[in-house]
Each structure stands twice: as C-alpha cells, then as structure tokens.
C-alpha cells in the first residue's frame, strides 16, 4: 500500500501493553484508510482474529490493536504533532538510565 516512513519500535521491557509498535504514514486521509484496511485484512487472513480499530472514520490517525502488536497509521502532520517515535523510541530517559546502569 506504499506506506511511508514505516518504523518498528520494540516495546519489550518498556510496557506490558504490547511487544511491538509499528508507525507509518499515508499521504492523505484516503491513503491512511486504505493502508489501515489492508493491515486489518492481513491480520485476519493470517489468523490474528479481529483487531480493535480506532480512528477509521476520520483517517487522520488510525490505531490497530492486534494484542501484541500496535499499528499506528498517520497523516504526516498528525504524526509529526504526536511524535510517538520520540515518546516510545530508544532515546527515552528510562532507556538511557538503564543503559548507563548496565554499562
């Protein structure tokens, strides 16, 4: 579906809500909706059941919760505003502290 700037963030040890978070962008609301529909179909066809979905009517930000995997699909300006990569990425202060203690 030509999602743009796709990033996977490993959440193991950071939270119990999921093991991985995937973040991607679509160029427009229609593109975000198309990507989300394809991801939902793939989860179903691969036996992951029916994921919980939020934001599909507006398609500015669609969250697909498949249990161990969270998928966020944004329009670029919405993605930039919420900046989930910074919140959940490796540069989080807790990660830096854990890295210093381990090293």
């Amino acid at each position: 579906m030509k999602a743009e700037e796709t990033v996977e963030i490993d959440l193991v040890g950071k939270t119990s809500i999921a093991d991985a978070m995937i973040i991607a962008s679509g160029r427009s609301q229609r593109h975000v909706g198309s990507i989300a529909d394809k991801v939902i179909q793939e989860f179903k066809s691969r036996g992951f059941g029916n994921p919980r979905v939020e934001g599909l009517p507006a398609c500015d930000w669609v969250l697909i919760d498949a249990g161990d995997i969270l998928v966020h699909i944004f329009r670029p300006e919405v993605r930039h505003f919420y900046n989930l990569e910074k919140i959940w990425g490796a540069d989080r202060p807790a990660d830096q502290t854990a890295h210093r203690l381990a090293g």
Side-chain angles (χ1 to χ4, degrees), residues 58-73:
C59 291
D60 285 327
W61 173 6
V62 177
L63 167 63
I64 303 168
D65 181 351
D68 291 337
I69 302 171
L70 299 175
V71 180
H72 297 272
I73 308 164

Side-chain angles (χ1 to χ4, degrees), residues 22-37:
I22 298 170
I23 303 170
S25 294
R27 293 180 301 278
S28 65
Q29 290 172 316
R30 182 177 293 232
H31 190 210
V32 168
S34 294
I35 295 166
D37 286 339

Side-chain angles (χ1 to χ4, degrees), residues 7-9 11 15-24 39 43 51-52 61-74 84 88:
V7 174
E8 180 181 353
I9 300 173
L11 297 178
T15 182
S16 62
I17 62 172
D19 292 338
M21 179 183 298
I22 298 170
I23 303 170
V39 170
F43 275 128
R52 293 182 296 272
W61 173 6
V62 177
L63 167 63
I64 303 168
D65 181 351
D68 291 337
I69 302 171
L70 299 175
V71 180
H72 297 272
I73 308 164
F74 292 97
L84 293 183
W88 289 102

